[in-house]
Amino acid sequence: MPVPARLGVFRVLCLFAVFEAVCLLDTGMLFPRESSSREVKELNGRWDFRADKSPNRNQGFEKAWYKSRLAETGPVIDMPGPASYNDITQDPTLRDFIGWVWYEREVVVPARWIADEGTRVVLRVGSAHYYSVVWVNGVKVTEHNGGHLPFEAEIGSLIRKDPTQPCRITIAVNNTLTLDTLPPGNIQHMDDHTKYPDGFFVQNIYFDFFNYAGIHRSVLLYTTPKAYVDDITVVTDFLDNTGLVYYKVSVQGAATATLKATLMDKNGRCVASSSEPSGVLKVVDVNLWWPYLMHENPAYLYSMEVRLMATDSRSTYEDVYTLPVGIRTVNVTSTQFLINNKPFYFHGVNKHEDSDIRGKGFDWPLIVKDFNLLKWLGANSFRTSHYPYAEEILQMCDRHGIVVIDECPGVGIKDIRSFGNSSLTHHLAVMDELVRRDKNHASVVMWSVANEPAAEMPPADFYFKTLIKHTKALDPSRPVTFITDSNYARDRGAPYVDVICVNSYFSWYHDPGHLEVIPIQLKTQFENWYGKYQKPIIQSEYGADAVAGFHSDPPVMFSEEYQKAVLQSYHNVLDQKRKQYVIGELIWNFADFMTVQGITRVVGNKKGIFTRERQPKAAAFILKERYWRLANETGRLPVWTKYPCSF
Ligand code: BDP
């Protein structure tokens, strides 16, 4: 049953008070955008690079490699950024390297940035995996714990100290995973010299993707005036045909400031404005943000321009920041997921940030290709399995109406020691950073706090209760989930979530080769979970490996025919249960992806319906047919889909 709009408004009003109390972060992390007051300089391209292969991996710090040019302290090689470093060379020790690697480049900073003391110059790293330390001209400016979220440092005063010097940026990145990192891992030393070479150690991980490392997203410099818009939070609602944009702007660098918030439609026409730092903008005859294939005009975005004016004894500062805003609501009942009070069925995919050569490095051609494939497939959603994706990807989702379940890197929490206090503290901090970064995306409709943890362990109950409560308090406007495996006895997180997300691999990991178990086991799975919790369920993973080009009839495992048969069998049950309380299905996986070497993986995980090179396997056509049929049943197709060649 739709939630009455008035209730929604009440919930939104509570939101800002809670926001302040829960989030421990004291600054914003707005995506760097150019404006009349802000400039952006991308530092992508070639970096000097050296892996610290010393036995304790610590020579770089002992010899202070950051103090002079990297080339002066040893040999360097070319390394592109953004990219994982693992697959760039022919060196197997670099592919499998564990420890500190060092990146360096010199940047020419525009003279006017330096000359104008009223300009802040910020160095921002979109993401580097996993632990990073950053120096500018030999002076440490920041460090960051975590591999998938941005971090930044103001470096203006430092580069102004000696404007004649080039600006030398050194970034040391360590990919070691410990019991307290997210995802967790541990290092195992093998000291038996009859079996292993001297100093041999391995990184154990409990997740199924290659631990790619390096500078994965853009490094850039951007400017703001000294008084600036530090953060904006928007939460949207609507009442009849009036859109409501609740907003809050936080300002830094000025004791007092005046500001103007203007909401503009697609044609740049002002539809609402206010001079308050927080409040509500009312939009008459609102164009709501609708998912792809749910409406003929999906993904409508307004632009919210925030213009700030502040004065100090020296001068007057003006800062302008423009945020895309989609107006929509999200609500969950015991059987439905509602977007704008209409039932939404997730027919989508799970993805990875993964491709050959680049690893997890950000790459526009790959991203645009993937969105074209998603639209071709008729997918309306994906989950950011198993970590936060690049901000540019979420911006594409906002633009195209692709709905997102935004997952934090809480994957592979399997060791009981990873449920301790320090792990939990880090997990909460990562949720703070994730919500701070992604809270304003209309496409993000739910937070996922973890994937398949060892939920049967006793400390898991306290851990997930705390984590889920914290996430709900951070953002009461979105539901929270945690991804569980099909065994409903392992249900420690389930009492606290809004939506149950279940992964299952019947006829694959269980009863391999026996397709006939799927109808029974899948039905039992749904009935058990719903019977126990009366919460809507998403089949958040299902699938089978298929090596592209392997054929077998009757189907056998790893053939394209077997993958097809698994999908079809799941779909039969999903078609019965989606009439009741199943609210979505996300295939595992969109594309083949790289994993560690092991006896169950043949050059990576092959459960993609596309190959790693993004060519369709037979299963892709089955899914395409299904998703377009579901879209025809449940939504309204955009006008342009009459011309299927347009994407
Ligand atoms: C699931 C995991 C996913 C794996 C998948 C598989 O959530 O990360 O890649 O199994 O084994 O349980 O293919």
Side-chain angles (χ1 to χ4, degrees):
M1 225 190 36
V3 168
R6 270 180 211 292
L7 256 188
V9 174
F10 173 71
R11 203 185 42 165
V12 167
L13 289 175
C14 297
L15 177 102
F16 291 122
V18 181
F19 240 121
E20 316 261 335
V22 184
C23 185
L24 296 172
L25 303 165
D26 50 5
T27 61
M29 192 52 73
L30 289 173
F31 184 77
R33 293 174 192 280
E34 290 186 320
S35 75
S36 55
S37 63
R38 295 175 173 228
E39 291 178 68
V40 177
K41 185 180 167 80
E42 282 195 352
L43 308 182
N44 297 335
R46 197 195 67 78
W47 292 66
D48 279 349
F49 175 93
R50 179 157 76 244
D52 183 346
K53 293 190 178 167
S54 62
N56 66 359
R57 303 291 196 253
N58 216 31
Q59 198 181 68
F61 288 89
E62 287 157 10
K63 301 233 159 114
W65 287 354
Y66 49 88
K67 282 209 168 140
S68 57
R69 288 180 49 237
L70 204 51
E72 286 169 26
T73 51
V76 291
I77 61 170
D78 291 345
M79 191 52 69
S84 302
Y85 57 74
N86 310 76
D87 291 345
I88 298 295
T89 73
Q90 301 309 105
D91 177 358
T93 67
L94 186 58
R95 184 193 57 206
D96 298 328
F97 185 76
I98 303 157
W100 289 102
V101 298
W102 292 70
Y103 287 80
E104 183 204 78
R105 72 179 281 171
E106 286 187 353
V107 186
V108 178
V109 181
R112 64 180 185 283
W113 292 12
I114 299 176
D116 179 4
E117 300 260 348
T119 294
R120 290 172 68 242
V121 180
V122 184
L123 171 61
R124 187 192 213 256
V125 181
S127 84
H129 189 72
Y130 179 84
Y131 198 99
S132 310
V133 186
V134 184
W135 296 263
V136 170
N137 295 336
V139 178
K140 184 168 140 190
V141 294
T142 190
E143 56 190 296
H144 184 256
N145 184 17
H148 312 88
L149 290 162
F151 53 96
E152 55 183 40
E154 212 272 294
I155 62 165
S157 50
L158 226 156
I159 52 181
R160 277 181 199 115
K161 270 194 188 144
D162 182 359
T164 58
Q165 261 195 56
C167 170
R168 181 167 47 81
I169 298 171
T170 313
I171 308 182
V173 187
N174 192 332
N175 63 348
T176 306
L177 299 178
T178 69
L179 293 167
D180 291 336
T181 56
L182 271 194
N186 80 332
I187 298 286
Q188 191 178 359
H189 291 268
M190 318 293 203
D191 299 327
D192 181 347
H193 293 310
T194 65
K195 289 189 178 163
Y196 300 103
D198 213 23
F200 186 85
F201 66 96
V202 289
Q203 167 80 75
N204 293 319
I205 53 173
Y206 315 105
F207 53 86
D208 182 37
F209 52 90
F210 194 86
N211 189 33
Y212 278 114
I215 297 180
H216 281 160
R217 298 180 194 148
S218 290
V219 179
L220 44 86
L221 292 177
Y222 73 91
T223 64
T224 75
K226 214 170 117 188
Y228 63 99
V229 175
D230 178 53
D231 201 8
I232 305 172
T233 305
V234 298
V235 179
T236 63
D237 204 338
F238 64 93
L239 198 53
D240 304 324
N241 63 347
T242 302
L244 303 168
V245 178
Y246 295 86
Y247 73 94
K248 179 171 188 287
V249 177
S250 49
V251 172
Q252 294 270 358
T256 55
T258 57
L259 65 82
K260 177 138 197 216
T262 311
L263 197 70
M264 287 165 296
D265 67 12
K266 268 203 164 154
N267 302 320
R269 228 170 23 94
C270 166
V271 293
S273 68
S274 161
S275 305
E276 299 299 325
S278 64
V280 53
L281 298 167
K282 293 189 180 158
V283 186
V284 180
D285 288 332
V286 63
N287 280 303
L288 295 177
W289 185 95
W290 288 98
Y292 173 56
L293 302 181
M294 199 175 173
H295 193 266
E296 56 275 270
N297 182 17
Y300 192 97
L301 291 176
Y302 292 87
S303 298
M304 179 172 166
E305 182 195 88
V306 176
R307 191 172 282 268
L308 167 94
M309 299 278 280
T311 309
D312 67 11
S313 52
R314 284 225 216 114
S315 74
T316 296
Y317 307 98
E318 184 180 40
D319 190 22
V320 181
Y321 189 89
T322 304
L323 181 76
V325 174
I327 301 178
R328 57 105 186 94
T329 59
V330 175
N331 286 295
V332 176
T333 72
S334 61
T335 55
Q336 288 183 319
F337 196 94
L338 304 171
I339 296 185
N340 302 335
N341 297 336
K342 297 245 162 69
F344 176 75
Y345 187 77
F346 294 79
H347 44 89
V349 304
N350 290 278
K351 290 187 93 256
H352 262 300
E353 288 186 319
D354 176 273
S355 72
D356 55 358
I357 305 172
R358 297 147 194 81
K360 292 200 177 304
F362 179 86
D363 182 43
W364 267 117
L366 180 77
I367 288 167
V368 176
K369 176 74 180 175
D370 280 4
F371 273 82
N372 287 333
L373 290 176
L374 286 170
K375 293 180 111 179
W376 173 87
L377 197 62
N380 63 3
S381 51
F382 65 79
R383 169 164 74 111
T384 68
S385 45
H386 291 306
Y387 37 80
Y389 292 178
E391 288 158 276
E392 292 86 340
I393 296 179
L394 296 181
Q395 289 161 9
M396 285 287 280
C397 291
D398 292 343
R399 280 172 55 76
H400 292 275
I402 302 294
V403 167
V404 177
I405 301 172
D406 202 348
E407 186 155 292
C408 88
V411 55
I413 308 178
K414 304 283 189 197
D415 188 307
I416 196 156
R417 290 166 293 175
S418 294
F419 287 103
N421 260 345
S422 50
S423 295
L424 179 58
T425 306
H426 181 54
H427 206 146
L428 296 174
V430 170
M431 285 315 302
D432 286 354
E433 287 184 34
L434 175 62
V435 173
R436 173 178 68 170
R437 192 195 72 162
D438 293 349
K439 63 190 170 186
N440 294 327
H441 288 285
S443 56
V444 173
V445 299
M446 182 151 67
W447 305 111
S448 159
V449 298
N451 180 72
E452 293 186 3
E456 72 283 8
M457 291 182 176
D461 188 52
F462 174 76
Y463 190 98
F464 287 108
K465 187 173 165 178
T466 312
L467 187 62
I468 293 165
K469 269 179 78 177
H470 180 80
T471 308
K472 284 187 180 205
L474 274 176
D475 180 6
S477 78
R478 287 180 179 89
V480 178
T481 190
F482 116 128
I483 316 291
T484 182
D485 68 21
S486 58
N487 181 351
Y488 84 118
R490 295 159 49 116
D491 60 358
R492 307 264 177 182
Y496 313 110
V497 297
D498 300 295
V499 172
I500 308 260
C501 283
V502 187
N503 299 344
S504 61
Y505 289 91
F506 304 127
S507 88
W508 193 262
Y509 292 120
H510 316 277
D511 305 299
H514 289 286
L515 291 162
E516 64 276 29
V517 303
I518 296 175
I520 306 167
Q521 296 189 2
L522 189 56
K523 197 162 158 283
T524 309
Q525 166 199 282
F526 287 138
E527 287 170 4
N528 280 343
W529 280 100
Y530 193 75
K532 189 150 185 200
Y533 293 108
Q534 291 86 49
K535 292 181 184 180
I537 305 176
I538 296 177
Q539 181 69 44
S540 42
E541 286 184 28
Y542 71 105
D545 287 75
V547 178
F550 274 21
H551 292 288
S552 172
D553 185 38
V556 297
M557 292 175 76
F558 292 100
S559 67
E560 294 200 31
E561 287 73 16
Y562 194 89
Q563 187 184 36
K564 254 173 66 176
V566 169
L567 266 53
Q568 282 164 326
S569 219
Y570 264 78
H571 295 163
N572 290 338
V573 180
L574 286 162
D575 277 340
Q576 294 161 32
K577 296 296 176 190
R578 74 187 164 87
K579 298 194 183 87
Q580 301 169 20
Y581 45 76
V582 169
I583 56 162
E585 53 189 87
L586 305 175
I587 186 78
W588 189 264
N589 190 285
F590 173 74
D592 292 346
F593 58 91
M594 193 44 69
T595 63
V596 282
Q597 301 180 60
I599 51 169
T600 58
R601 296 287 176 258
V602 188
V603 196
N605 186 310
K606 296 283 189 269
K607 293 193 186 69
I609 54 158
F610 295 101
T611 64
R612 203 180 191 208
E613 295 71 36
R614 274 46 180 182
Q615 295 306 323
K617 301 180 194 171
F621 295 96
I622 296 288
L623 217 59
K624 175 175 188 263
E625 199 273 323
R626 174 173 177 78
Y627 283 0
W628 281 99
R629 185 160 51 75
L630 288 172
N632 272 313
E633 267 176 41
T634 58
R636 297 206 329 249
L637 307 190
V639 182
W640 51 260
T641 47
K642 283 191 211 133
Y643 312 101
C645 296
S646 58
F647 49 80

